[in-house]
Amino acid sequence: MSFSPFTKQQLMPQEETLEVGRHKSQLFIGIPKEISCQERRICLTPDAVASLTLHGHRILMEAGAGLSSSYCDREYSEAGAEITTDTKKVLSCPLLLKVEPLTLEEIEHIAINAVIISAIQIKTRQKEYFQALMKKKATALAFEYIKDEDGSYPAVKSLSEIAGTASILIAAELMINSHAGKGLLFGNISGVPPTDVVIIGAGTVGEYAAKTALGIGATVKVFDNSITKLRRLQNNVKHNIFTSTIHPKTLLKALRRCDVAIGAMHGKERCPIVVSETMVEHMKRGAVIVDVSIDTGGCFETSEVTSHEKPTFIKNNVIHYCVPNIPSRYSKTASLSISNIITPYLIEVGDDGGIEESIRSNVGLRNGVYLYHGILTSKTIGEWFGLNDSDINLFVF
């Protein structure tokens, strides 16, 4: 038996490629109290705080930050958070979590190179907001723009689910309003005609409004100009319902018969007005309009922005509910939803060794970045406010 001799190359020592391990970092997260009277949610629940502190992260909260979501300071303290009454101390943390965007006054107190994760609500922003963050060289991420693995927007979808479900529950309350309501029970009672609901818009809000209305026995008609959305909604609700594209005559006929109309349209800039004042004039006396689309202008011509304190007005004998940010009404549910979405990202950021590494490796998270160390990276914002923007990929790779 003969063996082939080793070649010189085989006998030479070979280089070995070693995997470079990730270095975890401890996050120092600040959660200031929401100061907008319309905002009652909080980004993290006590359970989420416990999970993050268990991973070695530090959390500093302003006293009373969770009260409007039915979470007391003691619950957060027991979960491992530090509680302080010093707002400026919280705002100086390297990473800030907030539901509403920071105010200009709050931005003055943030640290240089701070990381901010919050909603952006671009239609309510001013150019000065972005310029103030740029001066602080901040890195800012918007809930609305963060994408999931499937390309969807988890925060937007979750809050839309709440808004859709809530729109029907709100309408049910208004239907029995002793002052102007019709005194109708929102349900299908033996021998009594069911409540008739018209939903304008077949996106997530419309889908969950339809599911809720059907669940309590109402008849539902859904209008949208997208056949694809109507088909998807019908498949998702697993129920044969009336669906139609938006034709003025067909829509007017449905509105004249309905007890409740839900506005669930969405527009890139401003929501299109689908229902004219003349159409509203033909609706039943005491009928209810819940215009969820009011966040982007409203799809009823008669809609006017209202508040949680004074949510309704009557026009053409029809009750209008036009409160922006409906999920804030259900603050604990909405807070749980936001917390469930943001907590895994925070743990990932810590495990990756910081926000820069996470932005580099996570495309969905990178999509949420609109400022990177003071440089505007959102083309949409740049065009909207006349600011210079750059592609974030130029900085993270």
Side-chain angles (χ1 to χ4, degrees):
M1 184 180 294
S2 61
F3 296 92
S4 59
F6 290 108
T7 64
K8 184 177 181 181
Q9 185 177 4
Q10 287 173 312
L11 293 171
M12 290 290 289
Q14 300 295 307
E15 292 182 359
E16 181 181 359
T17 303
L18 297 176
E19 182 182 353
V20 178
R22 295 186 300 179
H23 298 285
K24 294 185 179 182
S25 65
Q26 182 194 52
L27 303 179
F28 186 13
I29 303 168
I31 304 179
K33 192 174 180 178
E34 300 291 338
I35 58 176
S36 168
C37 61
Q38 288 281 87
E39 188 53 72
R40 302 171 59 208
R41 298 169 292 178
I42 190 168
C43 289
L44 296 179
T45 64
D47 285 345
V49 168
S51 177
L52 287 163
T53 54
L54 191 64
H55 280 78
H57 304 304
R58 183 182 172 193
I59 296 173
L60 181 66
M61 294 186 64
E62 186 175 356
L67 289 177
S68 57
S69 295
S70 301
Y71 295 117
C72 66
D73 291 342
R74 182 179 175 182
E75 290 177 90
Y76 282 108
S77 180
E78 290 176 349
E82 302 167 44
I83 310 296
T84 179
T85 56
D86 190 341
T87 306
K88 292 180 182 179
K89 187 177 179 181
V90 177
L91 290 171
S92 66
C93 290
L95 194 158
L96 290 174
L97 286 183
K98 206 167 180 288
V99 180
E100 288 273 317
L102 292 167
T103 64
L104 292 176
E105 291 75 20
E106 288 173 324
I107 293 173
E108 289 180 10
H109 301 292
I110 69 173
I112 300 295
N113 290 316
V115 176
I116 298 136
I117 304 176
S118 72
I120 186 174
Q121 300 170 355
I122 186 171
K123 294 178 178 63
T124 64
R125 296 301 91 212
Q126 300 294 327
K127 189 175 183 177
E128 292 75 18
Y129 168 80
F130 301 101
Q131 291 172 329
L133 287 176
M134 288 175 186
K135 287 180 182 177
K136 291 286 187 173
K137 300 187 183 302
T139 297
L141 292 83
F143 290 145
E144 303 99 308
Y145 297 158
I146 295 174
K147 285 187 177 181
D148 221 335
E149 293 88 351
D150 61 357
S152 65
Y153 297 89
V156 173
K157 186 173 182 180
S158 181
L159 296 175
S160 294
E161 291 171 1
I162 294 171
T165 302
S167 66
I168 298 299
L169 302 179
I170 291 165
E173 291 177 29
L174 297 175
M175 291 280 286
I176 58 171
N177 186 303
S178 58
H179 173 59
K182 300 174 70 177
L184 286 176
L185 176 64
F186 208 121
N188 190 1
I189 307 302
S190 300
V192 179
T195 306
D196 197 310
V197 178
V198 167
I199 300 170
I200 304 168
T204 304
V205 173
E207 178 187 329
Y208 276 77
K211 285 179 177 178
T212 306
L214 290 167
I216 53 180
T219 59
V220 175
K221 298 181 180 70
V222 181
F223 292 83
D224 197 292
N225 276 330
S226 170
I227 293 294
T228 302
K229 285 185 179 180
L230 290 171
R231 185 179 294 115
R232 184 173 61 234
L233 180 144
Q234 199 152 41
N235 288 336
N236 289 347
V237 299
K238 297 179 174 59
H239 199 286
N240 289 325
I241 58 174
F242 175 93
T243 57
S244 172
T245 50
I246 300 172
H247 301 293
K249 286 185 178 179
T250 309
L251 179 57
L252 175 59
K253 186 178 179 181
L255 289 170
R256 293 177 73 167
R257 294 178 177 178
C258 79
D259 303 296
V260 172
I262 306 293
M265 295 292 288
H266 180 72
K268 288 184 178 179
E269 293 186 8
R270 194 215 184 278
C271 173
I273 294 175
V274 177
V275 180
S276 66
E277 184 167 358
T278 304
M279 290 180 172
V280 174
E281 289 173 356
H282 284 86
M283 292 177 68
K284 294 178 183 177
R285 183 183 185 89
V288 173
I289 288 173
V290 179
D291 197 348
V292 184
S293 304
I294 197 66
D295 293 83
T296 54
C299 62
F300 291 81
E301 190 177 10
T302 50
S303 291
E304 299 172 9
V305 175
T306 58
S307 66
H308 288 297
E309 289 71 34
K310 192 176 180 182
T312 62
F313 64 91
I314 298 172
K315 196 167 188 177
N316 300 316
N317 298 313
V318 175
I319 303 170
H320 291 65
Y321 182 99
C322 305
V323 179
N325 190 13
I326 286 178
S328 185
R329 174 185 170 107
Y330 302 89
S331 56
K332 191 161 190 174
T333 298
S335 296
L336 281 162
S337 178
I338 293 171
S339 183
N340 288 340
I341 292 165
I342 198 66
T343 303
Y345 284 113
L346 293 173
I347 292 173
E348 181 183 330
V349 168
D351 289 346
D352 286 344
I355 193 70
E356 285 84 2
E357 287 299 322
S358 290
I359 291 171
R360 186 178 293 114
S361 60
N362 189 320
V363 178
L365 194 65
R366 188 161 70 243
N367 196 71
V369 179
Y370 61 92
L371 278 172
Y372 186 76
H373 292 295
I375 300 169
L376 185 66
T377 57
S378 168
K379 187 175 182 180
T380 302
I381 294 172
E383 292 175 348
W384 190 289
F385 295 99
L387 295 167
N388 294 327
D389 62 270
S390 302
D391 186 346
I392 190 171
N393 295 306
L394 298 174
F395 306 106
V396 299
F397 293 111

